[in-house]
């Protein structure tokens, strides 16, 4: 299958490392194409970043609409642009936060999210409501680790995430940890070994779910809410998108 991985931030090193992490869990027959927007912030750590990230995801989804991808993964924990990408693309689109929450709710009765900047916690909190996980998500914990610093993650950074996870497990009475950033994917295995509880990297779950949905030939419903966008004139720098993307 052909899987499109959209990193909503514009960091090329992070796009490469996300592609490597996805390839590490993908089935042998899965071809991964990783892309990021042509504009916007290099990391997503707040509402304004998130809004531009969502526009960047929409851009990349429109570019990819006719390329025949079987499924798409949005590789940022805020799931920016998820609904827009589902409108634009025929195959299933997975957000890593939604994928992580679903997986965590299967392997534990309660989980905690350990994320990057504390200011991003509210974005995760709103996703918990959106996905109906209020009773299973028992806490969201910021570490104030900058997203791009995860690129060269040393033992001190790993130890901070481990310490925050231990506090979360104890304080929240939770039994699993959801990693709240795509840039944490490479740390998942080591953290699970150290913490001895399920540690969920939404990127890995989303890749495996994308493969499963594709194998089951399940595609996005196009009758109602996710019907293709209406054809109309667009203006300004986005004028080129004013064509019928699904024609
Ligand atoms: C993220 C993420 O996954 N990628 C990014 O740029 N920001 N999320 C986060 N909570 O830090």
């Amino acid at each position: 299958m052909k899987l499109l991985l959209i990193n909503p931030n514009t960091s090329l090193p992070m796009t490469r490392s996300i592609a490597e992490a996805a390839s590490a869990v993908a089935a042998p027959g899965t071809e991964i194409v990783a892309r990021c927007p042509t504009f916007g912030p290099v990391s997503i750590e707040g509402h304004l970043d998130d809004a531009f990230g969502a526009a960047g995801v929409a851009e990349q989804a429109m570019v990819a609409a006719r390329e025949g991808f079987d499924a798409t993964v949005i590789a940022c924990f805020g799931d920016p642009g998820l609904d827009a990408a589902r409108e634009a693309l025929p195959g299933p689109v997975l957000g890593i936060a939604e994928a992580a929450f679903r997986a965590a709710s299967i392997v534990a009765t309660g989980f905690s999210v350990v994320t990057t900047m504390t200011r991003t916690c509210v974005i995760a909190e709103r996703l918990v409501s959106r996905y109906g996980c209020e009773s299973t998500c028992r806490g969201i914990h910021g570490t104030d680790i900058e997203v791009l610093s995860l690129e060269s993650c040393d033992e001190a950074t790993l130890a901070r995430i481990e310490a925050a996870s231990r506090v979360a497990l104890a304080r929240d009475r939770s039994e699993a940890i959801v990693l709240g950033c795509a840039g944490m994917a490479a740390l998942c295995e080591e953290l699970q070994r150290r913490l001895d509880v399920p540690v969920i990297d939404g990127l890995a779950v989303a890749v495996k779910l994308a493969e499963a949905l594709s194998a089951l030939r399940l595609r996005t419903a196009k009758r109602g809410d996710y019907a293709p966008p209406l054809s109309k004139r667009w203006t300004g720098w986005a004028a080129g998108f004013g064509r019928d993307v699904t024609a």
Side-chain angles (χ1 to χ4, degrees):
M1 72 171 286
K2 217 170 137 193
L3 177 65
L4 173 64
L5 198 62
I6 306 177
N7 171 22
N9 75 42
T10 56
S11 160
L12 292 176
M14 189 160 165
T15 305
R16 277 193 289 274
S17 60
I18 288 172
E20 277 166 28
S23 301
V25 296
T30 300
E31 179 199 342
I32 293 173
V33 176
R35 294 179 183 162
C36 65
T38 58
F39 60 89
V42 288
S43 61
I44 295 175
E45 299 172 313
H47 300 294
L48 195 74
D49 294 347
D50 191 67
F52 273 90
V57 167
E59 174 210 34
Q60 290 303 311
M62 288 174 100
V63 166
R66 288 204 198 95
E67 292 183 54
F69 287 101
D70 296 294
T72 300
V73 169
I74 299 174
C76 172
F77 199 73
D79 293 355
L82 182 61
D83 285 320
R86 284 179 178 163
E87 256 190 32
L89 292 161
V93 182
L94 295 107
I96 66 168
E98 184 175 21
F101 291 171
R102 303 283 176 237
S105 305
I106 291 169
V107 298
T109 61
F111 63 86
S112 300
V113 177
V114 174
T115 188
T116 55
M117 304 304 285
T118 303
R119 62 181 295 168
T120 68
C121 289
V122 67
I123 296 175
E125 261 163 32
R126 290 175 181 177
L127 290 181
V128 166
S129 307
R130 172 178 170 167
Y131 300 135
C133 293
E134 294 92 336
S135 65
T136 43
C137 178
R138 299 207 178 125
I140 299 170
H141 301 253
T143 55
D144 290 323
I145 294 168
E146 290 180 6
V147 170
L148 292 188
S149 78
L150 291 165
E151 273 304 310
S152 49
C153 185
D154 53 10
E155 174 53 36
T157 307
L158 184 61
R160 271 169 74 186
I161 299 169
E162 180 188 350
S165 301
R166 289 190 190 283
V167 168
L169 290 165
R171 268 203 209 142
D172 300 346
R173 199 178 47 80
S174 62
E175 298 147 6
I177 296 295
V178 164
L179 299 177
C181 181
M184 293 178 176
L187 314 178
C188 184
E189 214 175 297
E190 176 61 13
L191 282 169
Q192 181 158 281
R193 195 188 62 75
R194 292 187 188 188
L195 297 168
D196 199 26
V197 295
V199 176
I200 294 121
D201 157 38
L203 177 64
V205 177
V207 168
K208 300 314 286 180
L209 272 179
E211 287 175 345
L213 294 175
S214 172
L216 293 166
R217 300 195 194 292
L218 288 170
R219 295 162 80 76
T220 299
K222 289 292 170 184
R223 275 173 171 243
D225 296 341
Y226 290 135
L230 299 174
S231 187
K232 66 190 69 168
R233 190 171 63 86
W234 285 40
T235 62
W237 64 267
F241 292 120
R243 59 188 195 277
D244 183 348
V245 290
T246 53

